[in-house]
Amino acid sequence: MNFKVVIRIMGVLVILESILMLCCLITGLFFHENPKGFLLSIGISSILGITALLSTRNASRSVGRREGYLIVGIVWLIFSLVGTMPFLFTDVLHSFADAFFESMSGFTTTGATTFSDIEILPKQIILWRSLMQWLGGMGIIVLTVAIIPMMGTGGMQLYTAEANGPSKDKIHPRIKDTASRLYLIYIACTILQVILLMVGGNSFFESLILALSTISSGGFSSQNASVAEMTPYTQYVVMFFMFISGVNFVLLFMAIRGKMRTVVKDEELRNYIFIILFISLAIFLINLWKHGSISNLEQEIRIIVFQVIAFITTTGFTITDYSLMPNASMMFFFILTFMGACAGSTTGSIKLVRITVLLKNSYIALKQIIHPNAVLTLRLGDKPIEKKVISNVYAFIAMYLIIFLFGALSLSFFGHDFYTSFSASALSISNVGIGFCPSGMLIEFSGFPAASKILMSVLMLIGRLEIFTILLLFMPAFWKK
Amino acid sequence: MRTKILISVALGLGIASLVLMILNVVEQETITLFLVLGLICISLEFLASKKDEKND
């Protein structure tokens, strides 16, 4: 294991984080806020980053597969640790557990918060929360892949570790170009959303906060009511970009290149759209059946579709108190928590492509019982799927559910009720950030014990890195030569 | 040797600042002092390495 190159890359990333803190410092100065907290945070992170770089000046630049997994595994932890500083130094949070929870929730794009009143926070802290999500959204590693080559360090292994979905359509053979192009799309979507929100009368700051949290499927808002009190126009814009954040970025690139046939033929995308429409319709009919009539049809449809997209993309914005909806509607939202959107998007959770493989394979297994001698192949689109991939998908989903249950069990030991334990474990591992509790939709994380917050932070990390990347680090064989 | 000492001191001060901040046991002024010392170490190492390069 080449530890020196791992330390070197960590150094670069921590310096990058301090540059983002600098943006918050400048914002704070613009709004006449106390710059001391961010100055101290930038100072510490710069010293850590620069010493890491200086001490590894003569390190070999080659990144192997194992180094790649190690970097991906620990970078989120380091980022979250460093990310706690602005919260503690500006005195908006006083306990490390709270700050670590908030920071991890940001970098993993979960969107759960320990703040009960966001509107009284300094603007620099509101921006820091959204910037954490934006950086975490595309995967810090993709950004690294675009930057590290400047240092002469390869990045293919990092990309493999970050995107371990069942299928990866390459848009360019060179990973650096791929990452750069995906990141360009990411930045373009952010800018476009800011412009569209400003056209609707939102201030630049509010538009920026919303855009950073939307495209990253994060869900941090600058308002206590999330997006519920914003105009319908703003909600439609957020809804559209939430949908975009759930689409495979490779498909977005192909759409921009005009390869619409490939985009339209993509099975996962079609399933994504179908599920949104189907579940929205189901919830609409359930609500109609419960209430007897609908007073404002447009508003009802907007609210339902928005909330369905917020759950399936694991963004976690809220437009209404969905806990007031019928139980069957809430159950649909809970199921969506485990689905996630397309692989290769910024969303968390299991991802639709894995669920498709699982369902198709179950269907084939049933068919095989009726026709024992038939040779049946599982296909995604036109492509046959290897047995090894199917096996990996099963292993992933099994591990996902085991960790979810383990998380719920552990949370119940910390004194949470049955309902809250399940919900908190689900919203953490799937990076949704919103859930259900007996008293309504809003879970007050600030009241949770420190141990629960740390456990939930670990679940967020495991979920964001798609489980295996983290579990690999605990395999003794991983560390052997 | 010089590089090792200066970088170790700077890294030690950086990590100490982070840990002390997490534990919340010292005033922010103490952390600021640590940071200034850390930055001095880094600057000294940077200047010395530039001088070495010139001599080479």
Side-chain angles (χ1 to χ4, degrees):
Chain A
M1 180 78 77
N2 183 358
F3 284 107
K4 279 193 173 177
V5 78
V6 175
I7 294 170
R8 188 169 180 80
I9 292 172
M10 287 299 140
V12 173
L13 290 172
V14 170
I15 290 171
L16 178 76
E17 193 174 359
S18 64
I19 293 169
L20 288 183
M21 287 181 190
L22 190 66
C23 298
C24 298
L25 175 77
I26 295 165
T27 307
L29 290 173
F30 181 76
F31 287 105
H32 309 292
E33 291 168 350
N34 189 353
K36 201 175 167 186
F38 272 94
L39 274 174
L40 284 170
S41 309
I42 292 166
I44 294 179
S45 48
S46 302
I47 285 182
L48 292 173
I50 293 169
T51 47
L53 278 183
L54 287 176
S55 60
T56 52
R57 267 178 296 190
N58 304 320
S60 152
R61 303 288 166 89
S62 66
V63 178
R65 201 178 177 81
R66 286 193 303 168
E67 284 85 3
Y69 281 115
L70 182 62
I71 291 165
V72 173
I74 62 173
V75 73
W76 300 78
L77 197 63
I78 303 273
F79 258 59
S80 300
L81 271 175
V82 173
T84 58
M85 289 192 288
F87 296 116
L88 294 170
F89 282 137
T90 50
D91 281 332
V92 291
L93 289 173
H94 302 286
S95 95
F96 172 71
D98 281 355
F100 187 68
F101 179 91
E102 195 74 21
S103 185
M104 186 63 88
S105 174
F107 283 115
T108 55
T109 72
T110 305
T113 183
T114 53
F115 291 111
S116 43
D117 191 353
I118 296 155
E119 287 161 26
I120 57 161
L121 292 175
K123 294 274 193 287
Q124 52 189 350
I125 286 292
I126 292 177
L127 179 63
W128 177 237
R129 293 166 80 236
S130 294
L131 274 177
M132 287 192 300
Q133 294 200 320
W134 192 71
L135 193 59
M138 186 79 160
I140 300 161
I141 300 306
V142 179
L143 186 66
T144 313
V145 170
I147 286 174
I148 299 301
M150 289 192 290
M151 296 163 56
T153 318
M156 184 64 187
Q157 294 80 7
L158 302 181
Y159 189 74
T160 313
E162 176 70 1
N164 56 359
S167 64
K168 296 189 291 291
D169 278 329
K170 284 183 183 172
I171 54 173
H172 199 283
R174 291 176 61 200
I175 196 69
K176 181 189 157 192
D177 291 342
T178 306
S180 308
R181 286 169 190 187
L182 295 186
Y183 224 81
L184 271 177
I185 294 171
Y186 192 65
I187 293 167
C189 284
T190 311
I191 294 169
L192 187 62
Q193 192 184 350
V194 170
I195 294 168
L196 287 174
L197 288 171
M198 285 177 76
V199 168
N202 295 288
S203 69
F204 172 71
F205 184 76
E206 197 154 281
S207 306
L208 182 68
I209 296 297
L210 267 181
L212 293 173
S213 300
T214 308
I215 199 67
S216 59
S217 70
F220 277 154
S221 171
S222 57
Q223 294 187 7
N224 292 333
S226 192
V227 290
E229 287 171 5
M230 294 177 186
T231 60
Y233 170 82
T234 304
Q235 291 169 350
Y236 277 119
V237 172
V238 172
M239 197 194 302
F240 174 74
F241 282 95
M242 273 199 299
F243 173 80
I244 292 291
S245 77
V247 178
N248 186 340
F249 273 57
V250 175
L251 285 182
L252 288 179
F253 182 75
M254 286 177 174
I256 291 166
R257 291 277 298 270
K259 294 180 180 175
M260 287 309 288
R261 272 188 71 176
T262 318
V263 176
V264 173
K265 275 177 75 180
D266 187 79
E267 192 174 342
E268 192 184 22
L269 180 66
R270 280 197 273 180
N271 289 344
Y272 175 51
I273 296 168
F274 173 75
I275 287 169
I276 290 172
L277 294 177
F278 175 77
I279 293 187
S280 298
L281 181 67
I283 292 174
F284 177 80
L285 292 175
I286 291 165
N287 290 2
L288 183 66
W289 171 67
K290 169 97 188 286
H291 301 298
S293 65
I294 302 284
S295 55
N296 187 335
L297 187 66
E298 181 276 329
Q299 187 187 27
E300 183 72 8
I301 291 171
R302 172 164 39 90
I303 285 172
I304 291 171
V305 177
F306 185 100
Q307 209 56 67
V308 165
I309 296 177
F311 268 100
I312 198 170
T313 60
T314 71
T315 308
F317 279 131
T318 50
I319 192 172
T320 184
D321 186 352
Y322 49 79
S323 66
L324 299 175
M325 287 188 186
N327 285 332
S329 302
M330 284 211 288
M331 193 50 79
F332 270 119
F333 288 133
F334 190 66
I335 292 167
L336 284 174
T337 302
F338 289 95
M339 281 191 176
C342 303
S345 68
T346 58
T347 61
S349 208
I350 291 175
K351 307 264 170 32
L352 288 176
V353 70
R354 290 196 181 96
I355 292 168
T356 309
V357 168
L358 180 82
L359 293 176
K360 280 192 168 183
N361 199 51
S362 304
Y363 177 68
I364 285 176
L366 278 174
K367 240 177 150 181
Q368 198 83 62
I369 295 169
I370 303 164
H371 308 288
N373 298 323
V375 180
L376 302 168
T377 312
L378 196 158
R379 287 174 185 276
L380 262 182
D382 301 333
K383 294 175 196 162
I385 302 295
E386 289 175 40
K387 287 260 185 266
K388 190 181 153 196
V389 176
I390 299 168
S391 160
N392 284 346
V393 167
Y394 271 87
F396 177 88
I397 295 173
M399 287 309 297
Y400 198 93
L401 295 177
I402 288 168
I403 294 170
F404 158 66
L405 291 173
F406 173 78
L409 179 70
S410 307
L411 285 167
S412 69
F413 279 118
F414 298 138
H416 302 292
D417 60 74
F418 182 81
Y419 207 130
T420 310
S421 300
F422 266 104
S423 187
S425 183
L427 72 88
S428 303
I429 197 166
S430 57
N431 305 119
V432 174
I434 50 170
F436 311 89
C437 69
S439 56
M441 65 169 184
L442 286 177
I443 303 178
E444 285 286 341
F445 298 110
S446 53
F448 276 31
S452 302
K453 285 174 198 155
I454 299 293
L455 175 70
M456 285 177 71
S457 305
V458 173
L459 289 173
M460 290 175 203
L461 180 67
I462 294 173
R464 179 75 269 183
L465 295 186
E466 308 219 334
I467 296 171
F468 287 149
T469 317
I470 287 288
L471 295 187
L472 260 181
L473 304 182
F474 294 96
M475 301 280 287
F478 178 82
W479 300 97
K480 283 181 186 162
K481 276 190 179 178
Chain B
M1 192 63 185
R2 178 210 69 221
T3 306
K4 273 186 181 171
I5 292 171
L6 286 173
I7 288 175
S8 302
V9 171
L11 189 64
L13 287 166
I15 292 171
S17 309
L18 190 65
V19 173
L20 291 171
M21 180 266 314
I22 288 168
L23 297 175
N24 198 16
V25 288
V26 290
E27 295 294 313
Q28 290 193 356
E29 284 70 22
T30 315
I31 292 175
T32 312
L33 180 69
F34 278 22
L35 290 182
V36 172
L37 289 173
L39 284 172
I40 290 171
C41 289
I42 288 173
S43 308
L44 285 175
E45 167 55 22
F46 184 74
L47 291 172
S49 62
K50 283 279 168 204
K51 205 177 170 186
D52 286 349
E53 274 175 26
K54 236 180 187 179
N55 290 339
D56 289 342

